[in-house]
Amino acid sequence: MDFNAASPEDIYVSGAVTTAVKILVVGHFAVGKTTFIGALSEIAPLSTEEKMTQASSGVDDLRGVPDKKTTTVALDFGRLTLGDDLVLYLFGTPGQQRFMQLWEDMSRGALGALLLTDPTRLSDTFPVIDLIEQYGLEYAVAVNSFDRQSDYTEAELREALDLLPHTPVVFCDARDQRSSADALLTLVRHLLERAS
């Protein structure tokens, strides 16, 4: 699979597309959702990243991400065509608790969710899993390790996150297009299996 940025004439979806699927890209604060969508989107992604200010001091937990300077304040959006007749619309949710009211609207019509998690901040993932389950979404877990390899095995992560046996777990680097594509395809395969 080769993903290239869309040219101006490729901004619109082909008339051959018969199936459009809404996928949520979710995860805790500063896990790489915006980066993930930016790595995959065939169109210029919509991003609502804003500079973090002193107003978020004491509200946004920067442990583990002291260099973070921006945050998503509404959503991220990207598009990826998987075949002549199938297009995925990727919606990235904000990670902070104060934006959780957006989840209800964003989850409507979503076929499933790709849950990004940072293995160094697993406890931050539990509120996100709660929301996924509250809205009845099927999901796969993508462990975003960025520069480091995870110190945890898949089995250890499954146990730590208390995942059901059928929930896929994949390791990825959200900055890498191929790695991100593999994680997204893991979710798509899971959704197809659960639907059959």
Side-chain angles (χ1 to χ4, degrees), residues 40-82:
L40 285 180
S41 184
E42 65 195 15
I43 58 172
L46 168 69
S47 178
T48 59
E49 287 279 294
E50 293 294 335
K51 287 184 181 178
M52 295 179 69
T53 66
Q54 288 294 352
S56 70
S57 187
V59 176
D60 292 329
D61 185 358
L62 295 176
R63 284 179 292 143
V65 287
D67 297 330
K68 185 159 178 66
K69 304 287 186 237
T70 62
T71 189
T72 300
V73 296
L75 63 93
D76 296 309
F77 174 78
R79 187 185 78 205
L80 181 61
T81 302
L82 288 186

Side-chain angles (χ1 to χ4, degrees), residues 129-144:
I129 291 174
D130 289 344
L131 283 168
I132 291 170
E133 291 175 352
Q134 176 182 338
Y135 291 111
L137 296 171
E138 286 290 337
Y139 67 100
V141 176
V143 182
N144 185 19

Side-chain angles (χ1 to χ4, degrees), residues 6-170:
S7 62
E9 60 272 7
D10 293 331
I11 291 175
Y12 299 101
V13 174
S14 161
V17 170
T18 57
T19 306
V21 177
K22 180 180 183 180
I23 300 289
L24 297 185
V25 178
V26 302
H28 54 74
F29 173 66
V31 74
K33 299 176 296 291
T34 300
T35 302
F36 181 90
I37 290 174
L40 285 180
S41 184
E42 65 195 15
I43 58 172
L46 168 69
S47 178
T48 59
E49 287 279 294
E50 293 294 335
K51 287 184 181 178
M52 295 179 69
T53 66
Q54 288 294 352
S56 70
S57 187
V59 176
D60 292 329
D61 185 358
L62 295 176
R63 284 179 292 143
V65 287
D67 297 330
K68 185 159 178 66
K69 304 287 186 237
T70 62
T71 189
T72 300
V73 296
L75 63 93
D76 296 309
F77 174 78
R79 187 185 78 205
L80 181 61
T81 302
L82 288 186
D84 291 339
D85 61 347
L86 175 62
V87 66
L88 300 182
Y89 291 106
L90 307 174
F91 288 80
T93 61
Q96 300 98 313
Q97 280 298 127
R98 67 182 179 274
F99 296 118
M100 291 302 121
Q101 68 275 8
L102 293 172
W103 268 73
E104 184 174 353
D105 289 332
M106 290 182 72
S107 67
R108 284 191 186 119
L111 191 58
L114 184 67
L115 168 60
L116 292 180
T117 187
D118 180 338
T120 65
R121 297 181 291 140
L122 286 178
S123 63
D124 293 346
T125 304
F126 290 111
V128 182
I129 291 174
D130 289 344
L131 283 168
I132 291 170
E133 291 175 352
Q134 176 182 338
Y135 291 111
L137 296 171
E138 286 290 337
Y139 67 100
V141 176
V143 182
N144 185 19
S145 297
F146 284 116
D147 292 326
R148 60 200 177 280
Q149 188 64 292
S150 175
D151 293 332
Y152 303 102
T153 66
E154 179 183 333
E156 290 171 324
L157 289 163
R158 283 183 171 289
E159 183 177 348
L161 295 173
D162 195 25
L163 298 176
L164 294 171
H166 69 266
T167 303
V169 175
V170 63

